[in-house]
Amino acid sequence: MPATDDLDALIRAAVGGVGGSDRPGQLQMARAVERAVEREEHLLVQAGTGTGKSLAYLVPAIAHAVRTGKPAVIATATLALQAQIVDRDLPRIAEALEPLLGRRPTFGLVKGRSNYLCQHKLVGGFPDDDEDALLAMGQVDRERSRLGDEVTRLREWSEVTESGDRDELVPGVTNRAWRQVSVTAHECLGSRCPVVAECFVERSRAAAAEVDVIVTNHSFMAIDAFEGRFMLPEHDLLVIDEAHELTDRVTSTITDELASSTVSAAARRAGKNDAAERLAETAELLEAALADTPEGTLGQLPERLVTALQLVRDAARATLTELKPEKGAEPDGGTQVALAAVQDVFDTSERVLGEAELDVVWISHDQRRGSVLRVAPMSVAMMVRDKIFDERTVVLTSATLELGGTFDAVAGTIGLRGVGAPAWEGLDVGSPFDYPQQAIAYVAQHLPPPGRDGAGTVVFDEIEALVRAAGGRTLGLFSSRRAAEAAAEEMRGRLADTDITVRCQGEDQLPTLVREFAGEASTCLFGTLSLWQGVDVPGSACQLVIVDRIPFPRPDDPLTSARTEAIGRMGGNGFMAVSATHAALRLAQGAGRLIRRGDDRGVVAFLDSRMLTARYAGFLQRSLPPFWPTTDTKLVLGALRRLDETAPEPVPVAEPGARGLGGAPLVGSGTAVPVARSPRTAVTGGHAWSTEQDEELRDGVDSGVELVELAEHLGLAPDQVAARLNQLGLELEGADAGGR
């Protein structure tokens, strides 16, 4: 690592490169990262919003990589932060540091296989997931269904994309359509694939293996560590951003599930043979056994379920033997997909029957799939300690790592406490914001405590009054999808006399909804968990954050219950350690959506009176930023009206651009495409549309020009033009909603 003076110079250059200003907390954090690497110790850093933590860890990470020749790995929880680092932060930092380091630092993006187009599947190397709904690539009279249109559009996009990365496609497609052009890691033929030389994943990973900084996500990092796949190159520095999410992401990664439909699908994949037919028969037995077992945690497996699982496991084992290619032969795409599906059935049934001490097994009901059997570890602390903190320096950072004045709660969940725990340091570098002057924390104390029946009229009255006063500009954070949808529907009716637009999570891809919210002041965005964190909307587009209720985990959640009971058996307070801690983290993250920069102003409105009255209220309040507190409704409505009247234009919204191999932006010098401020302006297929070109599109529509002719006139691919027409709500002969 460079000497501290060198690091300070690098930080100053990077800050200038991103157009920032000196921040004491940022420099303090960067020096702590440098010190942790030198001492080969782990570091937990709480860095409040506005600290500039990305730059604070990226600069010392780059310097370390350049000095040692080993890459640094950055893992995030959300795609939004991943895209920000790759598309915005790293290109500018790399350019700023080049003169000081003697060369331009390099970086790449690594994701799971299913995030990329599969070249072999595109040319028919794998069976379709929905054979009855799709048509062959060369068929002239294509079915005019949404799925068929989306797949056709994906095939056309595959001809122009450099990266094959799903995030590059704007607008996006449904998961069902995407599955027709992608494969999972288990389905992939790997080096045996006949088109491996053209594989987007292999080319991307090969490119990323040569870079200084690799950006990935928590799940990919966990799979690489736990399963020993070595998808990431050897590295001795790992930075985990959004580290408050690590436990949940790791748990999700190693959670398995089994349903009768899973077994049936695997049997169909396996084709016509005795073993596959036997496997198909066990699906009915499993379905009956699951239906006969009540929902909830299974302390002990019922005898009927054990018998069904044993039959499933044995049939799956026999099917795997039947599918295994003869010695020296290689499986084709269809066989590989079948092997992956049957192996998954075998592994999950075997895991459940093993009844591991730390595994929690439960049954839940899914409207589409019926009863589903799930199994997950009650704790991942020791796994994380052994697989992630071994043989590398790990830096974990977030705006919310310290609860109740200590890092102990978070550290305990990731194996950094107890006998044998590795050495680590905890550091809180604070925030540069003047929270009491910039924001109000309002608790609607007059509202009744939330009940199980959802929001009543009095709650909707409160939301309407707040949104009207704010002139829109509202991010609504709800405890459930149903609550968010109900509030959105109610507000659309109540606000019909205004120009306020209410959008709800699920109506489009989340990044698209967030960009729309950020680009238009009169827009509100309501949603649930994904919006509580990772949404970065600075400026006047977001001046009101509404929290409908304290976000406790569901009391019947199997993992929550198991963890709470385990802590209680050891003499601890299970509710405070699990449920209250979960709620505190979510509240801190949600409230943190409001103030994103030094000139932001606004209100966080809590519609749950328990924030003041419950015995745990003080713990929750201490976990929030120190906003100015009040219960005065009239005062809050007046403040929101004044903010609305004096608000500047929203901050310009950057749209995603195309990426090349390794994930770096496909733009001239490597910096993000500048996009003019407009909720309608977008990048499609790597092309940033100007106002003049949008006018040309409208003229073309008015003149009845065909899509191909208009695309040739603009010098762009038809897919790029069709995507922009779709965004503008324009219809052109030869183009449809699917972008053909």
Side-chain angles (χ1 to χ4, degrees), residues 109-314:
L109 178 65
V110 174
K111 300 184 190 178
R113 216 167 268 277
S114 61
N115 290 283
Y116 298 89
L117 290 170
C118 171
Q119 298 279 29
H120 193 32
K121 198 163 191 176
L122 282 165
V123 296
F126 290 84
D128 290 328
D129 287 346
D130 296 271
E131 295 176 3
D132 58 335
L134 291 176
L135 298 161
M137 182 178 176
Q139 193 168 338
V140 176
D141 188 16
R142 292 183 175 91
E143 180 180 336
R144 303 289 293 180
S145 66
R146 180 184 179 190
L147 182 61
D149 288 343
E150 286 187 322
V151 173
T152 300
R153 178 165 160 255
L154 281 167
R155 294 188 186 282
E156 292 175 348
W157 175 63
S158 72
E159 299 295 325
V160 297
T161 179
E162 290 284 336
S163 70
D165 184 344
R166 182 179 182 179
D167 287 342
E168 180 191 320
L169 184 64
V170 178
V173 295
T174 61
N175 289 336
R176 188 182 179 203
W178 184 256
R179 284 197 298 270
Q180 313 310 316
V181 295
S182 66
V183 296
T184 66
H186 293 299
E187 293 170 340
C188 176
L189 295 174
S191 60
R192 304 187 306 271
C193 179
V195 292
V196 66
E198 302 171 31
C199 176
F200 286 118
V201 177
E202 296 302 326
R203 292 165 64 199
S204 178
R205 291 183 186 174
E210 305 297 324
V211 302
D212 298 311
V213 176
I214 297 171
V215 182
T216 187
N217 56 62
H218 291 183
S219 298
F220 189 93
M221 177 266 298
I223 292 171
D224 185 69
F226 296 158
E227 299 186 9
R229 294 193 196 170
F230 305 107
M231 298 176 290
L232 293 170
E234 182 181 349
H235 57 280
D236 56 13
L237 174 58
L238 169 65
V239 180
I240 301 177
D241 204 340
E242 301 174 307
H244 62 280
E245 279 289 296
L246 180 62
T247 298
D248 286 347
R249 300 290 171 142
V250 169
T251 301
S252 178
T253 299
I254 52 181
T255 296
D256 290 322
E257 62 179 43
L258 190 66
S260 61
S261 59
T262 313
V263 179
S264 297
R268 284 197 305 272
R269 292 287 193 205
K272 303 292 184 182
N273 60 67
D274 292 342
E277 289 178 8
R278 186 171 139 215
L279 181 62
E281 291 171 359
T282 66
E284 295 181 11
L285 297 173
L286 178 63
E287 183 176 22
L290 290 175
D292 196 41
T293 308
E295 280 192 280
T297 305
L298 301 178
Q300 185 174 358
L301 297 179
E303 185 176 343
R304 184 179 182 186
L305 181 57
V306 169
T307 301
L309 286 170
Q310 288 172 339
L311 291 170
V312 169
R313 178 196 60 191
D314 295 345

Side-chain angles (χ1 to χ4, degrees), residues 211-472:
V211 302
D212 298 311
V213 176
I214 297 171
V215 182
T216 187
N217 56 62
H218 291 183
S219 298
F220 189 93
M221 177 266 298
I223 292 171
D224 185 69
F226 296 158
E227 299 186 9
R229 294 193 196 170
F230 305 107
M231 298 176 290
L232 293 170
E234 182 181 349
H235 57 280
D236 56 13
L237 174 58
L238 169 65
V239 180
I240 301 177
D241 204 340
E242 301 174 307
H244 62 280
E245 279 289 296
L246 180 62
T247 298
D248 286 347
R249 300 290 171 142
V250 169
T251 301
S252 178
T253 299
I254 52 181
T255 296
D256 290 322
E257 62 179 43
L258 190 66
S260 61
S261 59
T262 313
V263 179
S264 297
R268 284 197 305 272
R269 292 287 193 205
K272 303 292 184 182
N273 60 67
D274 292 342
E277 289 178 8
R278 186 171 139 215
L279 181 62
E281 291 171 359
T282 66
E284 295 181 11
L285 297 173
L286 178 63
E287 183 176 22
L290 290 175
D292 196 41
T293 308
E295 280 192 280
T297 305
L298 301 178
Q300 185 174 358
L301 297 179
E303 185 176 343
R304 184 179 182 186
L305 181 57
V306 169
T307 301
L309 286 170
Q310 288 172 339
L311 291 170
V312 169
R313 178 196 60 191
D314 295 345
R317 181 191 287 119
T319 306
L320 288 171
T321 301
E322 189 76 28
L323 289 171
K324 188 177 180 180
E326 295 182 8
K327 189 174 182 180
E330 300 290 355
D332 58 17
T335 303
Q336 186 67 27
V337 169
L339 283 167
V342 177
Q343 186 70 53
D344 184 57
V345 168
F346 175 81
D347 290 344
T348 304
S349 54
E350 178 86 329
R351 178 181 177 183
V352 174
L353 288 167
E355 297 188 79
E357 183 180 355
L358 279 180
D359 269 352
V360 179
V361 180
W362 72 97
I363 291 177
S364 56
H365 184 74
D366 184 285
Q367 285 187 336
R368 183 174 59 86
R369 301 168 64 197
S371 294
V372 180
L373 183 69
R374 291 186 168 90
V375 55
M378 181 171 62
S379 171
V380 297
M382 292 302 101
M383 296 178 66
V384 172
R385 177 194 288 188
D386 295 341
K387 299 295 186 179
I388 293 179
F389 287 101
D390 192 32
E391 298 183 355
R392 62 173 67 85
T393 295
V394 183
V395 175
L396 301 104
T397 184
S398 167
T400 49
L401 285 181
E402 195 175 24
L403 298 175
T406 175
F407 290 95
D408 287 350
V410 171
T413 65
I414 54 177
L416 293 182
R417 295 186 67 194
V419 178
W424 60 278
E425 177 190 1
L427 174 67
D428 182 357
V429 299
S431 170
F433 298 151
D434 186 353
Y435 283 122
Q437 292 294 320
Q438 291 184 243
I440 295 172
Y442 164 62
V443 178
Q445 190 175 16
H446 60 283
L447 295 178
R452 292 188 175 184
D453 297 331
T457 301
V458 64
V459 175
F460 288 140
D461 290 344
E462 186 81 12
I463 295 174
E464 179 188 357
L466 290 165
V467 172
R468 281 185 181 272

Side-chain angles (χ1 to χ4, degrees), residues 83 86-88 91 107 109 111 116 157 160-170 200 654-675 682-689 716 719-720:
V86 171
D87 294 335
R88 190 174 73 186
F107 57 92
L109 178 65
K111 300 184 190 178
Y116 298 89
W157 175 63
V160 297
T161 179
E162 290 284 336
S163 70
D165 184 344
R166 182 179 182 179
D167 287 342
E168 180 191 320
L169 184 64
V170 178
F200 286 118
E655 297 285 344
R659 292 186 178 134
L661 290 178
L666 258 187
V667 183
S669 64
T671 55
V673 180
V675 181
V683 174
T684 62
H687 175 71
W689 289 86
L716 298 170
D719 181 72
Q720 295 171 305

